[in-house]
Amino acid sequence: MANQAPTSRARELPGGNEEAATDLKLGEFQHVPSLTMSEARLLINAVIENRKKARTVDETETLIRTRDYLEVFARFKQKENIEAVERMLTAHPELELFERSQLGSLCCGSAEEAKTLIPSLTNKISDVDLQELLDDITKLRNFTE
């Protein structure tokens, strides 16, 4: 029993030194725009709608699962609310694009929670300003969704 063959192959370590920690290191993706879950949901639904109109819909299992996942985890469903959250986040140029998309997807309840989940925020924005931003996002979510 001690000399059994492994039941799976060794897992290859990811290449690069990307890290979303206190110092944001995203490698080639450092300044690449990223989407919130809500924006991704809006985009995928628009693509599916356009394909249906053109009668070229090929709903693969991956597309269906992605759409279903985004339906569950997208915090905002209405286009106007998604755009309003983006405007709120864009008003903070000190935040990286990745950090903005994370804040818009996670919808944290407190500055402490946000800085725990997104450690790179720690020295970029004060707790007071971050809490105000989070409260504004939460109000939009609670009153309009």
Side-chain angles (χ1 to χ4, degrees):
M1 289 255 178
N3 293 345
Q4 287 184 336
T7 57
S8 63
R9 65 179 182 227
R11 186 171 181 182
E12 189 176 317
L13 294 174
N17 60 351
E18 291 84 7
E19 182 179 29
T22 304
D23 292 326
L24 200 57
K25 299 175 190 171
L26 300 178
E28 65 183 286
F29 300 105
Q30 187 70 33
H31 302 289
V32 175
S34 55
L35 301 174
T36 64
M37 296 278 197
S38 300
E39 291 169 325
R41 177 188 163 275
L42 188 67
L43 182 64
I44 284 187
N45 285 340
V47 167
I48 291 170
E49 237 359 86
N50 284 339
R51 287 181 180 177
K52 283 180 182 177
K53 289 177 184 174
R55 295 189 176 132
T56 60
V57 176
D58 182 23
E59 289 195 14
T60 63
E61 182 180 349
T62 303
L63 179 62
I64 292 167
R65 285 182 178 212
T66 302
R67 184 188 61 207
D68 292 347
Y69 178 88
L70 291 171
E71 280 299 323
V72 172
F73 292 105
R75 303 292 188 169
F76 303 93
K77 308 292 186 197
Q78 297 172 353
K79 183 179 180 182
E80 298 78 23
N81 299 337
I82 296 167
E83 291 170 348
V85 169
E86 179 62 22
R87 282 191 302 276
M88 287 179 203
L89 294 168
T90 303
H92 291 274
E94 70 274 18
L95 302 178
E96 295 284 342
L97 298 171
F98 174 79
E99 294 163 335
R100 293 178 200 168
S101 65
Q102 292 300 298
L103 286 171
S105 291
L106 296 171
C107 294
C108 300
S110 69
E112 180 183 2
E113 178 186 12
K115 288 183 176 183
T116 299
L117 295 174
I118 312 165
S120 60
L121 294 174
T122 302
N123 297 319
K124 290 188 178 175
I125 186 170
S126 72
D127 286 353
V128 172
D129 289 342
L130 181 55
Q131 189 62 55
E132 184 179 315
L133 173 62
L134 296 172
D135 289 345
D136 290 343
I137 291 171
T138 300
K139 286 177 195 172
L140 185 63
R141 183 173 171 220
N142 287 344
F143 292 120
T144 58
E145 295 296 320

